[in-house]
Amino acid sequence: AVELFTLSATQSNAAAEYKLGEYYEFRKKNDTKALEFYRKGAEHGNAIAQCKIGYFYEYGKGGLERNLPVSKEWYLKSASQGLPVGQYHAGMLFKYKESNVKDAEEWFTKAAQQGYSNAFFELGRIEMNEKHNKERASIFFIEALNSTNRANQICILSIQSLVVIAQQFEIKHKDKAIEIYIVLLQYHG
């Protein structure tokens, strides 16, 4: 398979270039070589490769210096193509690196509209912490909970979020509140 991807990559196949980047990053543990192929894929318009370049700049991987303005450019290129993970990362950069909740919410909303569970969680956090609307926050937290599998639920949802959800649902939906409390007990005894 690597030979086929390599052949395709020599013909400027953006998807193959991205896949080779993935191969070098995760199989060969060579971020510098991965960056080379991600960059080729990104320059040929592959949205996932563009997101990866943003990530590499954000965290200084592959021999790059950390550079948030360049990271933001790549995330926005990816996000503008409609890639939910790119939209989510753009939102994360706006919210946590630039303290720009308005733009963060816009990108999280776009990712959530495509079912990206982490984006629902971030929208819930905005509702709870920025807008102080626990009822609306609980709706987003429930969406995050429903749009992922059990193994990822606790990774996505913090204890605070689960407690807010359970408290909101105790009044109207006791069965849902009990289910949430059971999830809490299973993972955090």
Side-chain angles (χ1 to χ4, degrees):
V2 174
E3 294 82 18
L4 290 175
F5 285 129
T6 303
L7 178 62
S8 293
T10 61
Q11 298 170 1
S12 299
N13 181 314
E17 292 163 338
Y18 165 74
K19 280 300 198 186
L20 280 171
E22 213 175 41
Y23 170 77
Y24 281 104
E25 182 180 9
F26 298 110
R27 294 279 185 126
K28 295 295 186 181
K29 307 294 185 209
N30 184 338
D31 286 348
T32 305
K33 193 75 171 168
L35 175 63
E36 177 186 327
F37 284 103
Y38 286 147
R39 187 177 302 282
K40 288 178 182 179
E43 289 170 353
H44 290 122
N46 184 286
I48 303 169
Q50 291 169 343
C51 187
K52 285 301 253 182
I53 294 292
Y55 184 82
F56 271 48
Y57 272 108
E58 182 177 0
Y59 293 100
K61 291 183 70 173
L64 295 174
E65 292 287 322
R66 289 186 72 195
N67 188 327
L68 292 180
V70 174
S71 174
K72 179 179 171 181
E73 285 177 34
W74 283 107
Y75 282 147
L76 290 174
K77 283 181 183 184
S78 173
S80 295
Q81 289 195 61
L83 184 71
V85 69
Q87 294 165 337
Y88 170 77
H89 279 287
M92 292 296 282
L93 197 139
F94 278 116
K95 184 175 181 198
Y96 295 104
K97 307 289 190 203
E98 296 185 359
S99 300
N100 180 343
V101 175
K102 181 180 175 281
D103 286 344
E105 185 176 19
E106 178 184 328
W107 286 111
F108 290 144
T109 299
K110 289 179 181 187
Q113 287 170 342
Q114 296 184 68
Y116 198 75
S117 59
N118 292 18
F120 286 115
F121 175 67
E122 289 301 328
L123 288 168
R125 290 183 68 183
I126 289 171
E127 289 295 334
M128 186 169 62
N129 300 325
E130 309 293 331
K131 297 180 178 181
H132 307 289
N133 185 339
K134 287 185 179 182
E135 186 175 332
R136 193 149 155 72
S138 69
I139 292 167
F140 284 118
F141 291 144
I142 288 293
E143 283 297 324
L145 194 62
N146 288 335
S147 65
T148 189
N149 62 48
R150 280 267 189 228
N152 291 333
Q153 287 173 352
I154 298 304
C155 295
I156 292 169
L157 297 172
S158 66
I159 295 287
Q160 179 186 20
S161 305
L162 285 170
V163 170
V164 167
I165 295 168
Q167 289 170 345
Q168 290 296 314
F169 280 87
E170 272 183 356
I171 300 163
K172 297 178 186 171
H173 309 283
K174 288 191 188 296
D175 57 328
K176 194 67 166 175
I178 290 168
E179 179 185 334
I180 293 164
Y181 282 128
I182 289 169
V183 169
L184 272 170
L185 288 171
Q186 286 175 333
Y187 290 95
H188 299 287

